[in-house]
């Protein structure tokens, strides 16, 4: 717990809060000012917008402790505010709300716009209000209400105030608080409790559709038979894939294992099982697997189809067709363009490691998790060919 | 939608922040505006033991101007730039880019340093500052070093910063009065992260002609000598489409539709720069 002191609607308040408590929860739970609403809690919907040091801020992704000493205004603080009154009258007149969930955030953003906007241009208002979502009204009434307040004030000779008069630099709310030292002891590293998942992929692939699919290929400078034999040993293959490891009998059809992926600040460790089928006639195989990351409670299921194609010069092309589905919080960040990059890096590292192992130049220690974009620019990068890269996954940002 | 428990420190100076950031016995994350880290914390995709708030360090909000450059501390916000609270050496280019990032409430806290360190390929500063040829200034246990913004990002969410290293500022070179600039960001909803970016700078007085294709899913694709894009013609003329497409393909962008959208953004950026 940390003691957080700040000013809310002109009143100095002090309360105990955990550092992880965001400003919206601080306002709602320690001050019972429940006018501030929470919608998405990741900065997208605008319901939680409040004024901090006079300018709008997302209170769901601003931690209360980071605002020590700041001055906060919530929708309750607009009761006697001149612009607040004008906006409420205009919202009422224009039917600018229905359920009212978005309204506190709308009013805070609108108030800021009324202060700053030089004129009541409809397009500019729509752009400026685009960070506040409303599921009921269709926005027409909201835009009209704001337009009328701006037009009216400018007609009364009240000029716009650029930047709402802010002069301080840096994140709004910062710069007031005293320095805070970290607690001395290093927090205990919480040991992940991992239960073994059954080594079986229960559902069949027949009725399963991947969300995203992509195809890649790479070339290994070894003959098809050598590569084919190497692929039979799941343990050896896993060693080549950064972050992957398997347990138990690694020549069996069903294997259990885990895959650790580190992408920037995100670390995920998927524990799961895979089922491997190989067809020596066509030198192709299918690996279907599923896993769960307990930290983020995200889950994935995927299938990798591979095919080995002899090249004229004694080399082998490995064709990969990957399809997967990701659910849970990680899916929020799995824009297909990002996954594409991660896959490229993983496959580049994998190809490099397979080459090294087959040439007998590899260390036997398993590769650490994928941890650096640099991998992508390694020697093998040129040989990675993106084929039929028909990514038909979502690409929502 | 609540983060895991973490400890919080707010050092008053750079040395203390770098010391905390380099702690090997715990998962330590710097936090500036929290506008990218906050969502990840709330979704528990990031589970740190300690957050080090760097916004109380005065040096990170500094603004230094020399005859030919501007240095902005890493904690300068998008809104500080948009509103002109900091000087502009780019003829309004940076103000316009800043105004197109996210929404006002996000711009009031999101910082230029946080945006670069976060290394989201779809973010605006990584592309815009690459096109402007800016330098990132980085402090770590071993002192200061500089990295060209164009080579800062190594992959999705991966910057070339070592663990514990702090990005302290960016240096932006002053454009000549005759410099031309264009920036085109394609997104489906106003204020969201880009699906494609085109950026273009032609500053013949300084002998600089640069272009960037951004939001590529990985590092921006930078043309350090963008004159080559015009197939031997004058900069600002028709872009050699085959040249651009080969560059995109070599950058891992094989999809024809992706190439088309990115090419269109670049073309619009060039047209913007050479308009009137
Ligand atoms: C709804 C929404 C829409 C958005 N739309 C856009 C958009 O259209 N375009 C765009 O470009 N961005 C967009 N963003 C992101 C926004 O611009 C962020 O402000 C920015 O990416 C991160 O800056 P920050 O100061 O908030 O960094 P933080 O979230 O505090 O930190 C981000 C990461 O960088 C690290 N970090 C921060 N500062 C430093 C430093 N000085 N040195 C080393 N590491 C550091 C942190 O440890 C963390 O890993 C959007 C964000 C939201 C919530
Ligand atoms: S709850 Fe804060 S933006 Fe949605
Ligand atoms: S009035 Fe219901 S969400 Fe806007």
């Amino acid at each position: 717990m940390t003691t957080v002191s700040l000013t809310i609607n002109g009143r100095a308040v002090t309360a105990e809060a955990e550092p992880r408590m965001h400003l919206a929860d601080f306002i709602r739970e320690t001050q019972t000012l429940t006018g501030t609403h929470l919608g998405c809690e990741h900065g997208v919907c605008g319901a939680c917008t409040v004024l901090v040091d006079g300018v709008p801020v997302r209170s769901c992704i601003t931690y209360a402790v980071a605002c020590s000493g700041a001055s906060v205004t919530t929708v309750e603080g607009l009761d006697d505010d001149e612009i607040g009154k004008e906006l409420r009258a205009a919202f009422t007149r224009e039917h600018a709300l229905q359920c009212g969930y978005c309204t506190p955030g709308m009013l805070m953003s609108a108030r800021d716009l009324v202060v700053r906007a030089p004129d009541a241009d409809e397009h500019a208002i729509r752009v400026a209000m685009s960070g506040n979502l409303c599921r009921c009204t269709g926005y027409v009434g909201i835009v009209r209400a704001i337009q009328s307040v701006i037009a009216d004030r400018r007609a009364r000779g009240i000029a716009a105030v650029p930047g709402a008069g802010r002069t301080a630099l840096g994140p709004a709310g910062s710069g007031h608080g005293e320095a805070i030292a970290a607690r001395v002891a290093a927090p205990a590293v919480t040991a992940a409790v991992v239960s073994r998942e059954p080594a079986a992929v229960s559902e069949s692939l027949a009725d399963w559709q991947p969300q995203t699919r992509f195809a890649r290929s790479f070339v290994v400078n070894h003959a098809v038979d050598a590569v084919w034999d190497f692929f039979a040993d799941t343990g050896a293959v896993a060693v080549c894939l950064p972050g992957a490891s398997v347990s138990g009998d690694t020549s069996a059809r069903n294997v259990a294992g885990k895959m650790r992926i580190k992408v920037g600040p995100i670390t995920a460790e998927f524990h799961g099982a895979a089922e491997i089928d190989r067809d020596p006639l066509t030198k192709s195989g299918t690996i279907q697997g599923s896993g769960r990351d307990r930290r983020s409670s995200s889950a994935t299921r995927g299938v990798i189809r591979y095919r080995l194609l002899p090249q004229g010069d004694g080399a082998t092309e490995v064709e990969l067709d990957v399809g997967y589905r990701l659910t849970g919080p990680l899916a929020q960040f799995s824009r297909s363009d990002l996954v594409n990059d991660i896959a490229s890096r993983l496959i580049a590292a994998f190809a490099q490691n397979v080459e090294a192992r087959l040439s007998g130049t590899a260390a036997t220690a398993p590769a650490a998790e994928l941890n650096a974009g640099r991998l992508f620019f390694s020697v093998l990068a040129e040989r990675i060919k993106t084929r039929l890269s028909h990514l038909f996954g979502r690409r929502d940002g | 939608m609540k983060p895991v428990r973490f400890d919080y420190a707010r050092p008053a100076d750079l040395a203390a922040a770098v010391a905390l950031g380099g702690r090997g016995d715990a998962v330590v994350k710097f936090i500036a505006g929290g506008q990218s880290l906050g969502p990840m914390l709330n979704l528990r995709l990031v589970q740190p033991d300690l957050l080090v708030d760097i916004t109380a360090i005065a040096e990170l909000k500094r603004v230094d101007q020399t005859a030919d450059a501007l240095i902005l501390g890493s904690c300068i916000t998008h809104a500080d730039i948009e509103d002109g609270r900091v000087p502009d050496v780019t003829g309004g280019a940076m103000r316009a880019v800043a105004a197109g990032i996210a929404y006002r409430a996000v711009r009031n806290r999101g910082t230029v340093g946080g945006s670069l360190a976060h290394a989201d390929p779809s973010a605006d500063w990584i592309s815009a500052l690459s096109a402007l040829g800016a330098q990132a200034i980085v402090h770590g246990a071993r002192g200061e070093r500089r990295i060209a913004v164009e080579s800062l990002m190594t992959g999705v969410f991966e910057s070339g910063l070592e663990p514990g290293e702090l990005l302290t500022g960016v240096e932006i070179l002053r454009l000549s009065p005759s410099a031309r600039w264009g920036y085109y960001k394609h997104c489906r909803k106003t204020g969201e992260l880009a699906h494609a970016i085109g950026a273009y700078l032609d500053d013949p007085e300084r002998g600089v002609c640069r272009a960037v294709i951004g939001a590529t899913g990985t590092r921006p694709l930078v043309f350090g000598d963008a004159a080559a894009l015009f197939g031997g013609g004058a900069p600002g003329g028709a872009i050699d489409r085959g040249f651009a497409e080969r560059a995109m393909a070599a950058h891992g962008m094989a999809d024809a539709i992706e190439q088309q959208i990115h090419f269109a953004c670049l073309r619009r950026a060039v047209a913007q720069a050479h308009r009137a």
Side-chain angles (χ1 to χ4, degrees), chain B residues 7 21 28 44 64 77 114 135 137 154 163 189 194 196 216-217 226 258 269:
Chain B
D7 191 11
V28 183
R44 298 199 175 190
D64 290 336
T77 64
Q135 296 269 321
I137 305 166
T154 52
K189 177 187 181 289
T216 63
E258 287 294 289

Side-chain angles (χ1 to χ4, degrees), chain B residues 4-168:
Chain B
V4 295
R5 282 203 178 83
F6 48 72
D7 191 11
Y8 173 89
R10 185 165 54 216
D13 59 66
L14 211 56
V18 169
L20 286 170
R23 248 172 84 159
D25 59 350
V27 179
V28 183
K29 291 301 300 173
F30 293 124
I31 184 165
Q35 303 302 287
S36 289
L37 192 57
M40 289 186 165
L41 288 169
N42 287 0
L43 289 165
R44 298 199 175 190
L45 294 176
V46 181
Q47 308 195 358
D49 298 312
L50 171 66
L51 273 196
V52 178
D53 184 343
I54 58 172
T55 61
I57 303 170
E59 202 178 328
L60 300 185
K61 296 179 183 174
R62 78 189 161 133
V63 178
D64 290 336
Q65 237 187 126
T66 62
D68 56 3
L70 170 72
I71 293 180
L72 293 180
S74 62
C75 285
I76 296 299
T77 64
H78 314 325
D80 290 336
I81 296 168
E82 174 188 16
D83 292 352
R85 275 191 292 277
V86 296
D88 174 38
V89 295
T90 62
M94 285 182 66
R95 287 183 72 166
V97 170
I101 298 176
Y103 315 106
R104 184 70 182 175
V106 172
R107 298 197 290 275
N108 280 324
R109 284 190 55 81
T111 67
V112 62
S115 178
L116 292 178
H118 185 58
D120 185 328
S122 298
D124 289 276
W125 288 127
I126 192 78
S127 287
L129 292 174
S130 291
L132 288 168
Q135 296 269 321
I137 305 166
V138 172
H139 272 83
R142 291 191 304 266
E144 183 185 304
R145 66 184 179 115
R146 285 176 175 239
I147 312 172
V149 169
E150 67 177 281
S151 36
L152 188 65
M153 188 192 295
T154 52
V156 171
F157 299 146
E158 298 280 357
S159 74
L161 300 181
E162 302 293 334
E165 267 189 333
L166 200 56
L167 201 159
T168 54

